[in-house]
Coordinates of all heavy atoms in Angstrom, one line a residue:
Chain B
V117 N 20.9 -6.9 2.5 CA 21.0 -8.0 3.6 C 22.5 -8.3 3.8 O 23.0 -8.4 5.0 CB 20.2 -9.2 3.3 CG1 20.6 -10.4 4.2 CG2 18.7 -8.9 3.3
V118 N 23.3 -8.5 2.8 CA 24.7 -8.7 2.9 C 25.3 -7.6 3.6 O 26.1 -7.8 4.5 CB 25.3 -8.9 1.5 CG1 26.9 -9.0 1.6 CG2 24.8 -10.2 0.8
G119 N 24.9 -6.4 3.3 CA 25.5 -5.2 3.9 C 25.2 -5.1 5.4 O 26.0 -4.5 6.3
L120 N 24.2 -5.8 5.9 CA 23.8 -5.8 7.3 C 24.9 -6.5 8.1 O 25.1 -6.2 9.4 CB 22.5 -6.6 7.6 CG 21.2 -5.8 7.3 CD1 20.0 -6.8 7.6 CD2 21.1 -4.6 8.3
F121 N 25.7 -7.3 7.5 CA 26.8 -8.1 8.2 C 28.1 -7.3 8.1 O 29.1 -7.8 8.6 CB 26.9 -9.5 7.6 CG 25.7 -10.4 7.8 CD1 24.7 -10.5 6.9 CD2 25.5 -10.9 9.1 CE1 23.6 -11.3 7.0 CE2 24.4 -11.7 9.3 CZ 23.4 -11.9 8.3
G122 N 28.0 -6.1 7.5 CA 29.3 -5.3 7.3 C 29.5 -4.4 8.5 O 28.9 -4.6 9.5
D123 N 30.2 -3.4 8.2 CA 30.6 -2.5 9.3 C 29.5 -1.4 9.5 O 29.4 -0.8 10.7 CB 32.0 -1.7 9.0 CG 33.1 -2.8 9.1 OD1 32.9 -3.7 9.8 OD2 34.1 -2.5 8.4
H124 N 28.8 -1.0 8.5 CA 27.9 0.1 8.6 C 26.5 -0.3 8.7 O 25.7 -0.2 7.8 CB 28.1 1.0 7.5 CG 29.4 1.6 7.3 ND1 29.9 2.6 8.2 CD2 30.5 1.3 6.5 CE1 31.1 2.8 7.9 NE2 31.6 2.1 7.0
R125 N 26.1 -0.9 9.9 CA 24.7 -1.4 10.1 C 23.8 -0.1 10.5 O 24.2 0.8 11.2 CB 24.7 -2.3 11.3 CG 24.1 -3.6 11.0 CD 24.7 -4.7 11.8 NE 24.7 -4.3 13.3 CZ 23.6 -4.6 14.1 NH1 22.6 -5.3 13.7 NH2 23.7 -4.3 15.3
P126 N 22.6 -0.2 9.8 CA 21.7 1.0 10.1 C 21.4 0.9 11.6 O 21.1 -0.2 12.2 CB 20.5 0.7 9.2 CG 20.8 -0.5 8.5 CD 22.1 -1.0 8.8
S127 N 21.3 2.1 12.2 CA 21.0 2.0 13.7 C 19.6 1.5 14.1 O 19.4 0.9 15.1 CB 21.3 3.4 14.3 OG 20.4 4.4 13.6
D128 N 18.7 1.7 13.1 CA 17.4 1.2 13.4 C 17.2 -0.1 12.6 O 16.4 -0.2 11.6 CB 16.3 2.3 12.8 CG 15.1 2.1 13.5 OD1 14.8 1.0 14.1 OD2 14.2 3.0 13.3
T129 N 17.8 -1.1 13.0 CA 18.0 -2.3 12.3 C 16.6 -3.1 12.1 O 16.3 -3.6 11.1 CB 18.9 -3.4 13.1 OG1 20.1 -2.6 13.4 CG2 19.2 -4.5 12.1
A130 N 15.7 -3.0 13.3 CA 14.4 -3.6 13.1 C 13.6 -3.0 12.0 O 13.0 -3.7 11.2 CB 13.7 -3.5 14.5
T131 N 13.5 -1.7 12.0 CA 12.7 -1.0 11.0 C 13.3 -1.3 9.6 O 12.5 -1.7 8.7 CB 12.7 0.5 11.2 OG1 12.4 0.8 12.5 CG2 11.7 1.2 10.3
F132 N 14.6 -1.4 9.5 CA 15.2 -1.6 8.2 C 14.9 -3.1 7.8 O 14.5 -3.3 6.6 CB 16.7 -1.5 8.4 CG 17.5 -1.6 7.0 CD1 17.4 -0.4 6.2 CD2 18.3 -2.6 6.7 CE1 18.1 -0.4 5.1 CE2 19.0 -2.6 5.5 CZ 18.9 -1.5 4.6
G133 N 14.9 -4.1 8.7 CA 14.5 -5.5 8.3 C 13.1 -5.5 7.9 O 12.7 -6.2 6.8
G134 N 12.3 -4.8 8.6 CA 10.8 -4.8 8.2 C 10.6 -4.3 6.8 O 9.9 -4.9 6.0
Y135 N 11.2 -3.2 6.5 CA 11.2 -2.6 5.2 C 11.7 -3.6 4.1 O 11.2 -3.6 3.0 CB 11.9 -1.3 5.1 CG 11.0 -0.1 5.3 CD1 10.8 0.5 6.7 CD2 10.1 0.4 4.3 CE1 10.0 1.5 6.9 CE2 9.3 1.5 4.6 CZ 9.1 1.9 5.9 OH 8.3 3.0 6.1
L136 N 12.8 -4.3 4.5 CA 13.4 -5.2 3.5 C 12.4 -6.3 3.1 O 12.2 -6.6 2.0 CB 14.7 -5.8 4.1 CG 15.9 -4.9 4.1 CD1 17.1 -5.6 4.7 CD2 16.2 -4.4 2.6
I137 N 11.8 -6.8 4.2 CA 10.8 -7.9 3.9 C 9.6 -7.4 3.1 O 9.2 -8.0 2.1 CB 10.2 -8.5 5.3 CG1 11.4 -9.2 6.1 CG2 9.1 -9.5 5.1 CD1 11.1 -9.5 7.5
T138 N 9.1 -6.2 3.5 CA 8.0 -5.6 2.8 C 8.4 -5.4 1.3 O 7.6 -5.8 0.4 CB 7.6 -4.3 3.3 OG1 7.4 -4.4 4.7 CG2 6.4 -3.8 2.7
T139 N 9.6 -4.9 1.1 CA 10.0 -4.5 -0.3 C 10.2 -5.8 -1.1 O 9.7 -5.8 -2.3 CB 11.4 -3.8 -0.2 OG1 11.3 -2.7 0.8 CG2 11.8 -3.3 -1.6
I140 N 10.7 -6.8 -0.6 CA 11.0 -8.0 -1.4 C 9.6 -8.7 -1.7 O 9.5 -9.3 -2.8 CB 12.0 -9.0 -0.8 CG1 12.6 -9.9 -1.9 CG2 11.4 -9.8 0.4 CD1 13.8 -10.6 -1.5
A141 N 8.7 -8.6 -0.8 CA 7.4 -9.3 -1.1 C 6.4 -8.5 -1.9 O 5.4 -9.0 -2.3 CB 6.7 -9.6 0.4
F142 N 6.7 -7.2 -2.1 CA 5.7 -6.3 -2.7 C 5.4 -6.8 -4.1 O 4.2 -6.9 -4.5 CB 6.4 -4.9 -2.7 CG 5.3 -3.8 -2.6 CD1 4.7 -3.7 -1.3 CD2 4.8 -3.1 -3.6 CE1 3.7 -2.8 -1.1 CE2 3.9 -2.1 -3.4 CZ 3.3 -2.0 -2.2
G143 N 6.4 -6.9 -5.1 CA 6.1 -7.2 -6.4 C 5.4 -8.5 -6.6 O 4.4 -8.6 -7.2
P144 N 5.9 -9.6 -6.0 CA 5.3 -10.9 -6.0 C 3.8 -10.8 -5.6 O 2.8 -11.4 -6.3 CB 6.1 -11.8 -5.1 CG 7.4 -11.2 -5.2 CD 7.2 -9.7 -5.3
T145 N 3.5 -10.1 -4.5 CA 2.1 -9.9 -4.1 C 1.2 -9.3 -5.1 O 0.1 -9.7 -5.4 CB 2.0 -9.1 -2.8 OG1 3.0 -9.7 -1.8 CG2 0.6 -9.1 -2.1
A146 N 1.7 -8.2 -5.7 CA 1.0 -7.5 -6.7 C 0.7 -8.4 -8.0 O -0.4 -8.4 -8.5 CB 1.8 -6.2 -7.2
I147 N 1.7 -9.2 -8.3 CA 1.6 -10.0 -9.5 C 0.5 -11.1 -9.2 O -0.4 -11.4 -10.0 CB 3.0 -10.7 -9.9 CG1 3.9 -9.6 -10.4 CG2 2.7 -11.8 -10.9 CD1 5.3 -10.1 -10.6
Y148 N 0.6 -11.7 -7.9 CA -0.3 -12.7 -7.6 C -1.8 -12.1 -7.7 O -2.7 -12.7 -8.2 CB -0.1 -13.1 -6.1 CG -1.1 -14.0 -5.4 CD1 -1.2 -15.3 -5.9 CD2 -2.0 -13.6 -4.5 CE1 -2.1 -16.2 -5.4 CE2 -2.9 -14.4 -4.0 CZ -3.0 -15.7 -4.3 OH -3.9 -16.6 -3.8
L149 N -2.0 -10.8 -7.2 CA -3.4 -10.3 -7.2 C -3.8 -9.9 -8.5 O -5.0 -10.1 -8.9 CB -3.4 -9.0 -6.3 CG -3.5 -9.3 -4.7 CD1 -3.3 -7.9 -4.0 CD2 -4.9 -9.9 -4.4
A150 N -2.9 -9.4 -9.4 CA -3.2 -9.0 -10.7 C -3.6 -10.2 -11.6 O -4.4 -10.1 -12.5 CB -2.0 -8.3 -11.3
R151 N -3.0 -11.4 -11.2 CA -3.3 -12.6 -12.1 C -4.8 -13.0 -11.8 O -5.3 -13.7 -12.6 CB -2.3 -13.7 -11.8 CG -1.0 -13.6 -12.7 CD -0.1 -14.6 -12.2 NE -0.6 -16.0 -12.5 CZ -0.4 -16.7 -13.5 NH1 0.5 -16.2 -14.4 NH2 -0.9 -17.8 -13.7
M152 N -5.2 -12.7 -10.6 CA -6.6 -13.0 -10.2 C -7.6 -12.0 -10.9 O -8.8 -12.2 -10.8 CB -6.8 -13.1 -8.7 CG -6.1 -14.2 -8.1 SD -6.8 -14.5 -6.3 CE -6.3 -13.0 -5.6
E153 N -7.1 -11.0 -11.4 CA -7.9 -9.8 -11.9 C -7.6 -9.5 -13.3 O -7.0 -8.6 -13.5 CB -7.6 -8.6 -10.9 CG -8.6 -7.5 -11.0 CD -10.0 -7.9 -10.8 OE1 -10.2 -8.6 -9.9 OE2 -10.8 -7.5 -11.6
P154 N -8.3 -10.3 -14.2 CA -7.8 -10.1 -15.7 C -8.7 -8.9 -16.2 O -9.4 -9.2 -17.3 CB -8.2 -11.4 -16.3 CG -9.2 -12.0 -15.4 CD -9.0 -11.5 -14.0
T155 N -8.7 -7.8 -15.6 CA -9.4 -6.6 -16.1 C -8.4 -5.5 -16.0 O -7.3 -5.6 -15.7 CB -10.6 -6.3 -15.3 OG1 -10.2 -5.9 -14.0 CG2 -11.5 -7.5 -15.1
R156 N -8.9 -4.2 -16.3 CA -8.1 -3.1 -16.2 C -7.5 -2.9 -14.8 O -6.4 -2.4 -14.5 CB -8.8 -1.8 -16.7 CG -9.9 -1.5 -15.6 CD -10.7 -0.3 -15.9 NE -10.3 0.6 -16.9 CZ -10.9 1.7 -17.2 NH1 -12.1 1.9 -16.7 NH2 -10.5 2.5 -18.2
W157 N -8.3 -3.3 -13.8 CA -7.9 -3.2 -12.4 C -6.6 -4.0 -12.1 O -5.9 -3.7 -11.2 CB -9.0 -3.5 -11.4 CG -10.2 -2.8 -11.8 CD1 -11.5 -3.3 -12.4 CD2 -10.4 -1.4 -11.7 NE1 -12.3 -2.3 -12.5 CE2 -11.8 -1.1 -12.2 CE3 -9.7 -0.3 -11.3 CZ2 -12.3 0.2 -12.1 CZ3 -10.2 1.0 -11.3 CH2 -11.5 1.2 -11.8
G158 N -6.4 -5.1 -12.8 CA -5.2 -5.9 -12.7 C -3.9 -5.0 -13.0 O -2.9 -5.1 -12.3
N159 N -4.1 -4.3 -14.1 CA -3.0 -3.4 -14.5 C -2.8 -2.2 -13.5 O -1.7 -1.8 -13.3 CB -3.2 -2.8 -15.9 CG -2.4 -3.6 -17.0 OD1 -1.4 -4.2 -16.6 ND2 -3.0 -3.7 -18.1
L160 N -3.9 -1.7 -13.0 CA -3.8 -0.7 -12.0 C -3.0 -1.2 -10.7 O -2.3 -0.5 -10.1 CB -5.2 -0.2 -11.7 CG -5.2 1.3 -11.0 CD1 -4.5 2.2 -11.9 CD2 -6.8 1.6 -10.9
I161 N -3.4 -2.4 -10.3 CA -2.7 -3.1 -9.2 C -1.1 -3.0 -9.4 O -0.4 -2.6 -8.6 CB -3.2 -4.5 -8.9 CG1 -4.6 -4.4 -8.4 CG2 -2.3 -5.1 -7.9 CD1 -5.2 -5.8 -8.2
L162 N -0.8 -3.6 -10.6 CA 0.6 -3.6 -10.9 C 1.2 -2.2 -11.0 O 2.4 -1.9 -10.5 CB 0.8 -4.3 -12.3 CG 0.4 -5.7 -12.5 CD1 0.6 -6.3 -13.9 CD2 1.3 -6.6 -11.6
G163 N 0.5 -1.3 -11.6 CA 0.9 0.1 -11.7 C 1.2 0.8 -10.3 O 2.2 1.4 -10.1
V164 N 0.2 0.5 -9.5 CA 0.4 1.1 -8.1 C 1.6 0.5 -7.4 O 2.4 1.2 -6.7 CB -0.9 0.8 -7.3 CG1 -0.7 1.1 -5.7 CG2 -2.1 1.7 -7.8
A165 N 1.7 -0.8 -7.5 CA 2.9 -1.5 -7.0 C 4.2 -0.8 -7.4 O 5.2 -0.6 -6.7 CB 2.8 -3.0 -7.3
C166 N 4.3 -0.6 -8.8 CA 5.5 0.0 -9.3 C 5.6 1.5 -9.0 O 6.8 2.0 -9.0 CB 5.5 -0.1 -10.9 SG 5.8 -1.7 -11.4
L167 N 4.5 2.1 -8.5 CA 4.7 3.5 -8.0 C 5.2 3.4 -6.5 O 5.9 4.4 -6.1 CB 3.4 4.2 -8.0 CG 3.0 4.9 -9.2 CD1 1.6 5.6 -9.0 CD2 4.1 6.0 -9.7
V168 N 4.8 2.4 -5.8 CA 5.2 2.3 -4.3 C 6.6 1.8 -4.2 O 7.3 2.3 -3.3 CB 4.1 1.5 -3.6 CG1 4.6 1.4 -2.1 CG2 2.7 2.1 -3.7
L169 N 7.0 1.0 -5.1 CA 8.4 0.4 -4.9 C 9.5 1.4 -4.8 O 10.3 1.3 -4.0 CB 8.7 -0.6 -6.1 CG 8.1 -2.0 -5.8 CD1 8.4 -2.8 -7.1 CD2 8.9 -2.6 -4.7
P170 N 9.5 2.5 -5.7 CA 10.6 3.5 -5.5 C 10.5 4.2 -4.1 O 11.5 4.6 -3.5 CB 10.2 4.6 -6.6 CG 9.5 3.7 -7.6 CD 8.7 2.7 -6.9
V171 N 9.3 4.4 -3.6 CA 9.1 5.0 -2.3 C 9.8 4.1 -1.2 O 10.5 4.5 -0.4 CB 7.6 5.2 -1.9 CG1 7.5 5.8 -0.5 CG2 6.9 6.1 -3.0
L172 N 9.5 2.8 -1.3 CA 10.1 1.9 -0.4 C 11.6 1.9 -0.5 O 12.3 1.9 0.6 CB 9.6 0.4 -0.7 CG 8.2 0.1 -0.3 CD1 7.7 -1.2 -0.8 CD2 8.0 0.2 1.3
V173 N 12.2 1.9 -1.7 CA 13.6 2.0 -1.9 C 14.3 3.3 -1.3 O 15.2 3.2 -0.6 CB 14.0 1.9 -3.5 CG1 15.5 2.1 -3.6 CG2 13.6 0.6 -4.0
L174 N 13.5 4.4 -1.6 CA 13.9 5.7 -0.9 C 13.9 5.7 0.6 O 14.8 6.1 1.3 CB 13.1 6.8 -1.4 CG 13.3 7.3 -2.9 CD1 12.3 8.3 -3.2 CD2 14.7 7.8 -3.1
R175 N 12.9 5.0 1.2 CA 12.8 4.9 2.6 C 13.9 4.0 3.2 O 14.6 4.3 4.1 CB 11.5 4.2 3.1 CG 10.4 5.2 3.2 CD 10.6 6.2 4.3 NE 10.4 5.6 5.7 CZ 10.9 6.0 6.8 NH1 11.7 7.1 6.7 NH2 10.7 5.4 8.0

Side-chain angles (χ1 to χ4, degrees):
Chain B
V117 169
V118 171
L120 277 180
F121 297 97
D123 290 334
H124 298 285
R125 237 150 48 93
S127 54
D128 200 350
T129 315
T131 307
F132 193 69
Y135 266 97
L136 283 179
I137 295 169
T138 310
T139 308
I140 201 167
F142 214 74
T145 310
I147 293 171
Y148 173 73
L149 282 170
R151 280 177 58 97
M152 291 198 295
E153 192 57 46
T155 65
R156 66 178 352 174
W157 306 111
N159 263 330
L160 201 53
I161 291 174
L162 295 178
V164 167
C166 286
L167 272 185
V168 177
L169 274 174
V171 179
L172 286 172
V173 173
L174 287 176
R175 273 294 287 157

